[in-house]
């Protein structure tokens, strides 16, 4: 990339950096990468080294070297930082974090502003606690003007349980004085058929986020397909390993693209089916070290109660909300 002046460096956007600009990526390699949904330099960093080894069939050293080159190039264009970062840069990046309103002031306060970009927020609870309803509401709310708690951006909705309802989106949009047709157009829905399809969709998310300028990615539910397919203790390790890979991908996407990732997870009612605390999400701690907020939902008389779990920066507490025509709101 020699010959680019300073001005050009600033003007170049990450989405313009095709994998083929890297030394060592010829037409055949480019084709292999493209077939796997990898188009840009950023994609090379979002995917794990072992996944790239599988795609390219090369040695781990070679792939690491390729990723190193990708990292250096993006650092050169100030798109990412290389190695150590000074605290003021981290501060700058944190300042970019933005929030999507849930529609309930109580719940927004519990989340310290709403659902956060650059992070994964997990809503978990028994059936009927409002997980899917929250996902619908957020997919509309992300499109709201900033002064109304939105990000004026679109949403990507991965539906693994066939519970996405366009008619409900229309109702929420109308309740919020948005054009329902526009709102539907800005929600990009994929129905995941099974866990491997889900993994594939997540692998290709980077491209989708770029195409759609989405600021919200919903996975409802994230763990369901794995639970259905990997039954029994014998398969637990494999299931956890796949979940880990997916969560790593999601973490990197959230950070690199400044998007909010929202996942749902069911809790089994009957504690004897699963080991450990029955109010823990299925799949246990699926996230190793992602910046993740876990919100536990439960039913109350005429309302739902949310509490935040294991978050050092959030004050302990509960938020009461209701499911209404406009999505989610405070109780009347
Ligand atoms: P599972 O996916 O089964 O684990 O449940 P969930 O937590 O996703 O529950 P969901 O979000 O589907 O919440 C279901 C509850 O939301 C229902 O019990 C209803 O009380 C409420 N609800 C569902 N659809 C509507 C709707 O269109 N309007 C309103 N006002 N409430 C709804
Ligand atoms: Mg649901």
């Amino acid at each position: 990339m020699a010959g680019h002046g300073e001005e050009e460096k600033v003007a170049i956007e990450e989405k313009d950096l095709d994998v083929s600009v890297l030394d060592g990526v010829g037409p055949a390699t480019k084709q292999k990468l493209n077939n796997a949904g990898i188009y840009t330099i950023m994609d090379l960093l979002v995917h794990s080294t072992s996944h790239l080894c599988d795609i390219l069939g090369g040695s781990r050293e070679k792939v690491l070297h390729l990723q190193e080159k990708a990292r250096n190039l993006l650092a050169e264009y100030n798109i990412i930082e290389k190695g150590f970062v000074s605290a003021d840069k981290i501060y700058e990046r944190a300042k970019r974090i933005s929030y999507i309103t849930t529609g309930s002031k109580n719940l927004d306060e519990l989340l310290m502003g709403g659902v956060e970009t650059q992070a994964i927020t997990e809503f978990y609870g028994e059936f009927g606690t409002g997980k899917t309803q929250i996902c619908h509401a957020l997919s509309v709310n992300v499109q709201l003007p900033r002064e109304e708690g939105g990000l004026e951006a679109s949403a990507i909705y991965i539906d693994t349980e066939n519970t996405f309802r366009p008619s409900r989106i229309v109702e929420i949009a109308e309740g919020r004085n948005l054009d329902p047709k526009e709102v539907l157009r800005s929600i990009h829905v994929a129905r995941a058929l099974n866990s491997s399809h889900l993994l594939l969709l997540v692998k290709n998310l980077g491209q989708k986020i770029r195409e759609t300028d989405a600021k919200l990615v919903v996975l409802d539910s994230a763990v369901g397909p794995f639970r259905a397919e990997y039954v029994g203790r014998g398969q637990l390790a494999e299931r956890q390993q796949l979940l880990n890979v997916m969560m790593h991908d999601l973490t990197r996407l959230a950070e690199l693209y400044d998007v909010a990732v929202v996942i749902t997870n069911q809790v089994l009612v009957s504690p004897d089916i699963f080991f450990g605390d029955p109010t823990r999400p299925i799949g246990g701690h699926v996230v190793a070290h992602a910046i993740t907020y876990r919100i536990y939902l439960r039913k109350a008389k005429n309302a739902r109660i949310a509490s935040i779990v294991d978050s050092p920066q959030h004050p302990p507490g509960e938020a009461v909300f209701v499911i209404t025509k406009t999505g989610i709101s405070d109780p009347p």
Side-chain angles (χ1 to χ4, degrees):
M1 296 301 288
H4 283 298
E6 267 311 308
E7 265 169 59
E8 213 165 340
K9 272 188 188 179
V10 179
I12 279 193
E13 286 201 26
E14 163 270 321
K15 51 182 117 186
D16 301 326
L17 288 174
D18 189 87
V19 282
S20 59
V21 306
L22 281 186
D23 275 351
V25 178
T29 308
K30 179 180 157 71
Q31 195 56 53
K32 278 188 202 165
L33 291 169
N34 287 175
N35 289 348
I38 297 169
Y39 296 90
T40 68
I41 305 294
M42 188 72 98
D43 290 337
L44 282 175
L45 296 180
V46 172
H47 291 265
S48 68
T49 307
S50 34
H51 181 60
L52 290 176
C53 286
D54 289 347
I55 293 166
L56 296 173
S59 70
R60 197 173 168 81
E61 277 68 49
K62 245 182 113 175
V63 169
L64 280 171
H65 188 57
L66 196 64
Q67 286 187 309
E68 176 66 20
K69 277 197 274 191
R71 209 170 357 258
N72 289 344
L73 190 62
L74 290 191
E76 194 186 321
Y77 286 96
N78 287 322
I79 291 162
I80 59 161
E81 297 93 1
K82 192 164 47 172
F84 283 98
V85 186
S86 59
D88 65 326
K89 281 219 172 132
I90 297 176
Y91 180 65
E92 278 303 314
R93 183 160 62 190
K95 272 203 313 204
R96 279 213 308 265
I97 288 176
S98 37
Y99 300 87
I100 306 164
T101 182
T102 59
S104 154
K105 283 210 171 66
N106 294 344
L107 189 51
D108 285 354
E109 263 168 40
L110 185 77
L111 294 167
M112 302 205 323
V115 168
E116 216 174 284
T117 63
Q118 300 179 33
I120 301 177
T121 304
E122 177 181 58
F123 289 97
Y124 73 100
E126 282 180 30
F127 71 90
T129 46
K131 302 181 292 292
T132 298
Q133 290 301 314
I134 291 176
C135 294
H136 279 66
L138 288 169
S139 303
V140 176
N141 296 352
V142 68
Q143 304 183 40
L144 287 167
R146 284 183 180 261
E147 55 280 12
E148 289 174 43
L151 297 176
E152 292 162 37
S154 63
I156 292 173
Y157 199 111
I158 302 179
D159 179 16
T160 70
E161 308 197 313
N162 207 10
T163 50
F164 178 77
R165 294 281 169 269
S167 58
R168 178 64 172 139
I169 295 292
V170 168
E171 184 182 41
I172 299 172
E174 281 170 349
R176 297 207 156 267
N177 296 319
L178 293 170
D179 174 5
K181 273 204 186 128
E182 278 293 314
V183 170
L184 285 172
R185 256 200 293 275
S186 300
I187 304 175
H188 307 272
V189 187
R191 168 103 173 88
L193 303 170
N194 51 44
S195 65
S196 37
H197 187 204
L198 174 59
L199 288 169
L200 188 69
L201 286 169
V202 171
K203 288 281 178 214
N204 292 331
L205 263 178
Q207 194 204 352
K208 199 73 203 159
I209 293 170
R210 285 193 299 274
E211 275 172 19
T212 59
D213 276 328
K215 281 287 170 201
L216 171 70
V217 172
V218 167
L219 256 90
D220 183 29
S221 90
V223 186
F226 293 95
R227 188 183 72 230
E229 291 162 43
Y230 295 86
V231 285
R233 271 175 180 259
Q235 289 175 293
L236 199 61
E238 190 181 348
R239 182 181 82 180
Q240 287 310 108
Q241 204 259 329
L242 290 173
L243 275 169
N244 263 322
V245 169
M246 185 175 81
M247 295 310 290
H248 265 112
D249 289 348
L250 289 171
T251 309
R252 270 177 291 193
L253 287 164
E255 287 177 353
L256 289 173
Y257 293 107
D258 186 30
V259 295
V261 174
V262 169
I263 67 173
T264 69
N265 198 346
Q266 216 190 39
V267 164
L268 292 177
V269 194
S270 153
D272 52 277
I273 297 177
F274 208 67
F275 42 90
D277 183 347
T279 64
R280 303 307 279 180
I282 288 165
H285 290 282
V286 285
V287 192
H289 41 254
I291 322 159
T292 296
Y293 306 121
R294 293 199 165 84
I295 319 298
Y296 177 57
L297 302 175
R298 62 183 205 273
K299 286 187 216 174
K301 206 174 182 240
N302 304 323
R304 301 288 187 279
I305 301 170
S307 47
I308 197 153
V309 185
D310 298 339
S311 172
Q313 70 262 52
H314 290 76
E318 292 188 334
V320 182
F321 67 91
V322 288
I323 302 164
T324 60
K325 253 180 118 60
T326 53
I328 302 295
S329 41
D330 288 341

